[in-house]
Amino acid sequence: QWFWLNPAGSWMLSFASDFFAKQTVPWVNSISYAWSEYDQCSGTAGRDCHTFGVNNDQLVNRTNIEFQKIGLRGVSLFVASGDSGAHGRTDQGCNKPHFTPDFPACSPYVTSVGATYRENPTYLAASTLPCDPYCVSGGEEVAVSYKANRYVAGGGFSHLSPMPDYQKAAVNAYLTSGVELPQKTTYNASNRAFPDVSMDGFSILVYSSGTQFSGESGTSASAPSFSAVASLLVDHSLSTTQKPLGFMNPLLYQMNAAHPNTFNDITIGDNNCTEGGCGLLHKCEGAVRGGGWGKVREG
């Protein structure tokens, strides 16, 4: 495993440019940074706008191009979808008239990973595992929620990037399935939808050092977990075809269309709350009438 760290103050364009310029890089990468796609020139992300002399939209577009180049190189990028629902971390009180998608999670050239947990869980029999006797072994997999998990997976639609061809059929099928949707003025349904997949993201057992274990939650837990599965697929591809898998979204959506049982369809949950809670001044809850993305359709 590699830990890739750029200088303090740099952001996604700095990372992507630096990464692409290196001769030797890992084939699979997990990223757990996020900031509003509307506000890339402010806050955490701001310095790259100054460094490269670009505005918000130019920064997003240039970063997307670098991600595309990284994928063409054969590298797979996975990004946590965020932990504050469709409103995002920059709109905890749901005051804005539109949702605020997290970037780079909403880039069309990364695989965005949401989070699930097990409702009515079953547990492993007594064992020597450090989580004994509470190692979850089954239960109904549903989207994380503020009520159950104290955070809500990010997701929705980019406000800058059009919907890529690889996901049009899946997204259109969802939008026309009859599920309750947010107000149309709060998102652009013709743009890139995210996340692409989801994975367990609640109380994940993490090994630190020696015998130190802790339970961690968030899409920053589910994204590296899914990346680990992707690493096994890449390893298999390298051993059989001598080629990596690169940008995986076209393959993942193709697999889901051809073999629906490849993925577990998550149909319970929404992301109308934020990390700060639900119904803050009745805004978050009322803005979408509990809809969020009604039935979450990621794998």
Side-chain angles (χ1 to χ4, degrees):
Q1 291 183 337
W2 302 32
F3 181 71
W4 195 286
L5 189 65
N6 278 76
S10 60
W11 187 237
M12 286 300 136
L13 183 52
S14 292
F15 156 73
S17 301
D18 181 46
F19 186 94
F20 185 75
K22 292 293 191 292
Q23 183 175 358
T24 303
V25 294
W27 291 119
V28 178
N29 298 263
S30 178
I31 300 172
S32 286
Y33 292 98
W35 198 248
S36 169
E37 190 187 35
Y38 283 94
D39 300 304
Q40 290 292 294
C41 288
S42 67
T44 303
R47 287 199 185 176
D48 265 7
C49 289
H50 176 74
T51 299
F52 292 93
V54 294
N55 61 31
N56 183 87
D57 293 6
Q58 290 169 333
L59 182 70
V60 171
N61 290 332
R62 283 187 57 173
T63 305
N64 282 337
I65 290 172
E66 292 302 315
F67 287 157
Q68 186 179 29
K69 289 161 58 178
I70 290 171
L72 288 170
R73 186 174 176 178
V75 172
S76 305
L77 295 177
F78 296 87
V79 178
S81 72
D83 295 346
S84 205
H87 293 275
R89 190 163 287 174
T90 59
D91 188 24
Q92 291 285 324
C94 309
N95 296 308
K96 296 180 180 179
H98 52 72
F99 295 130
T100 52
D102 278 336
F103 186 84
C106 63
S107 168
Y109 301 109
V110 305
T111 300
S112 181
V113 185
T116 60
Y117 80 105
R118 304 294 171 140
E119 204 169 53
N120 302 315
T122 57
Y123 300 93
L124 291 176
S127 67
T128 58
L129 292 173
C131 56
D132 177 54
Y134 301 112
C135 293
V136 174
S137 63
E140 185 175 14
E141 190 176 10
V142 301
V144 292
S145 67
Y146 180 80
K147 181 178 180 180
N149 316 105
R150 289 299 183 266
Y151 82 98
V152 190
F157 290 84
S158 165
H159 86 281
L160 287 175
S161 300
M163 187 180 296
D165 288 341
Y166 62 74
Q167 69 170 186
K168 284 183 177 179
V171 176
N172 289 335
Y174 167 71
L175 292 175
T176 58
S177 64
V179 299
E180 185 178 11
L181 297 171
Q183 299 173 18
K184 291 184 178 180
T185 56
T186 58
Y187 63 99
N188 186 343
S190 63
N191 280 355
R192 192 282 202 256
F194 75 106
D196 302 292
V197 294
S198 288
M199 195 163 185
D200 283 302
F202 179 65
S203 197
I204 304 301
L205 192 66
V206 175
Y207 172 80
S208 299
S209 60
T211 58
Q212 297 298 313
F213 290 86
S214 61
E216 304 294 341
S217 301
T219 55
S220 292
S222 57
S225 296
F226 192 89
S227 298
V229 176
S231 294
L232 297 176
L233 297 176
V234 170
D235 189 54
H236 177 73
S237 181
L238 288 169
S239 66
T240 55
T241 69
Q242 289 72 57
K243 296 178 182 179
L245 294 176
F247 177 46
M248 274 196 199
N249 281 8
L251 173 62
L252 294 174
Y253 281 88
Q254 182 181 3
M255 289 167 62
N256 185 60
H259 305 284
N261 291 331
T262 301
F263 298 97
N264 178 29
D265 195 16
I266 308 302
T267 60
I268 298 175
D270 59 61
N271 63 355
N272 61 303
C273 298
T274 69
E275 213 170 17
C278 291
L280 300 174
L281 301 178
H282 304 291
K283 290 179 181 178
C284 297
E285 200 168 75
V288 291
R289 291 191 64 249
W293 299 113
K295 296 172 70 178
V296 184
R297 296 299 293 249
E298 310 97 49

